[in-house]
Amino acid sequence: SSRGAWPSPRARAPRARSPSGPRRAAMSFGAAGAGGPQHGFMRSSGGFQEERSVHSSASFLDAFDFTAIEEMDPSLAEGHRVVYDREVPFELRVQDAEIGPQEVGTLEAIRCKILALGEEHRPQHCRIELTSESDLFFLYTHSVDELRFKQMQEHQKLMIDFPEYLSVVMKMLNHCIKEPQSYLAVFVMQRDGQARLDFIQNMEYKFVELLSCDFAAAPEEVVRQQITFRYNSVKSRLALMQGRLEDINALVKVKNPSLLLQLQKTPPRVGVKR
């Protein structure tokens, strides 16, 4: 799937870990963590009222039961269960076959959904899905079973076994959220639909690649199913919240009509972006 217009690439060796790229990304992520909003996934340091509003919105949404909606997710069709679902700051790069990957990519919040099949401590298969709120056609998947993991283990000299793989990936994703100046998630996309996610640690004196996962762009039919589900999910959630709001309005109208009149005169607040 095409990402549309991309920044002009800056040439570098295909696998070279030049400090300029990760360091610049680390500085950008660090600045975001310190206070500046970066590409829509960081809140400003001075916005304490905004942060409280975000937490209040989260608490309000927790009161709703979206289980029936979530069970319609096409990702669960094969019996998988969701074990992780968060937005993570990624550096997106495009790799050109002749020039190589961009020196510095674009920072974006990517939704990472990890699914497992089988028992919690003895998974048979796991899948990682990457989606973007800014591009509905962005959908990459990473699928691995025990046999494929052994190939990864031998190639990357990993010291973990397959049952520990998911927990390690989740730990690294959380590091990228909590310590963006020290842990980077670099997603390199090729024109043929193949991609690679590199977890990189900034050791101050060098950059160390901790883990690399191969991804592939999802087929058009799968992308269509996911877009349909996401649209229907938002539509159903909105209907639930509108129904709840009407119930609250009816209750307030009986208990305190003057308060309802005052609320109706109050202009709506602009939604807070998370």
Side-chain angles (χ1 to χ4, degrees):
S1 301
S2 174
R3 289 286 297 164
W6 289 89
S8 56
R10 306 171 78 180
R12 72 176 179 95
R15 294 290 290 178
R17 293 299 173 196
S18 171
S20 59
R23 180 177 297 127
R24 205 171 304 177
M27 291 172 65
S28 299
F29 282 128
Q38 294 288 336
H39 300 268
F41 54 81
M42 292 295 181
R43 292 189 294 268
S44 61
S45 61
F48 295 113
Q49 184 176 357
E50 182 176 305
E51 186 170 350
R52 282 199 302 269
S53 179
V54 167
H55 290 309
S56 299
S57 299
S59 300
F60 176 73
L61 291 176
D62 288 341
F64 293 90
D65 184 8
F66 297 129
T67 304
I69 300 174
E70 293 168 351
E71 288 176 350
M72 297 171 61
D73 189 347
S75 300
L76 310 179
E78 298 177 356
H80 289 75
R81 68 183 188 281
V82 178
V83 297
Y84 186 92
D85 191 354
R86 297 187 70 181
E87 282 194 336
V88 182
F90 274 35
E91 180 184 346
L92 303 181
R93 301 182 187 179
V94 175
Q95 179 171 338
D96 191 289
E98 299 178 359
I99 303 177
Q102 294 172 267
E103 180 69 17
V104 178
T106 57
L107 303 180
E108 188 173 326
I110 297 298
R111 182 181 178 185
C112 303
K113 184 161 63 176
I114 302 180
L115 305 105
L117 178 66
E119 299 178 8
E120 183 177 355
H121 300 292
R122 292 178 61 87
Q124 303 171 13
H125 181 269
C126 67
R127 185 169 72 246
I128 304 175
E129 296 179 354
L130 304 179
T131 56
S132 170
E133 289 300 320
S134 62
D135 183 354
L136 293 179
F137 296 94
F138 181 97
L139 176 58
Y140 284 84
T141 61
H142 165 76
S143 297
V144 60
D145 55 16
E146 191 163 4
L147 180 61
R148 185 172 178 182
F149 176 77
K150 286 183 178 179
Q151 298 174 351
M152 292 178 57
Q153 191 179 40
E154 294 174 2
H155 180 68
Q156 301 186 42
K157 310 298 181 187
L158 301 177
M159 304 290 291
I160 56 173
D161 295 321
F162 183 57
E164 305 169 88
Y165 178 58
L166 286 185
S167 61
V168 169
V169 173
M170 288 188 283
K171 182 178 180 180
M172 290 187 181
L173 291 172
N174 288 333
H175 278 317
C176 293
I177 296 172
K178 298 176 181 177
E179 304 175 70
Q181 66 277 8
S182 300
Y183 292 88
L184 311 175
V186 180
F187 193 64
V188 182
M189 295 166 286
Q190 300 178 9
R191 302 294 182 181
D192 61 359
Q194 300 301 306
R196 186 184 71 251
L197 175 60
D198 295 330
F199 291 101
I200 301 172
Q201 183 177 7
N202 180 4
M203 303 289 291
E204 294 186 358
Y205 53 89
K206 71 179 297 186
F207 292 89
V208 179
E209 185 175 297
L210 304 175
L211 178 67
S212 182
C213 307
D214 291 328
F215 280 78
E220 289 186 9
E221 176 62 20
V222 175
V223 173
R224 185 188 65 79
Q225 292 175 359
Q226 284 289 342
I227 292 176
T228 301
F229 165 71
R230 290 164 71 181
Y231 170 77
N232 289 333
S233 175
V234 172
K235 188 177 179 181
S236 299
R237 289 167 186 254
L238 178 60
L240 281 175
M241 288 187 284
Q242 285 179 332
R244 177 66 63 87
L245 182 59
E246 290 174 2
D247 292 341
I248 294 174
N249 283 343
L251 180 62
V252 174
K253 185 177 181 179
V254 173
K255 298 291 185 179
N256 195 336
S258 59
L259 175 59
L260 180 61
L261 183 62
Q262 183 178 355
L263 291 173
Q264 291 174 342
K265 291 181 178 180
T266 304
R269 294 172 56 188
V270 178
V272 178
K273 292 185 179 180
R274 297 189 65 179

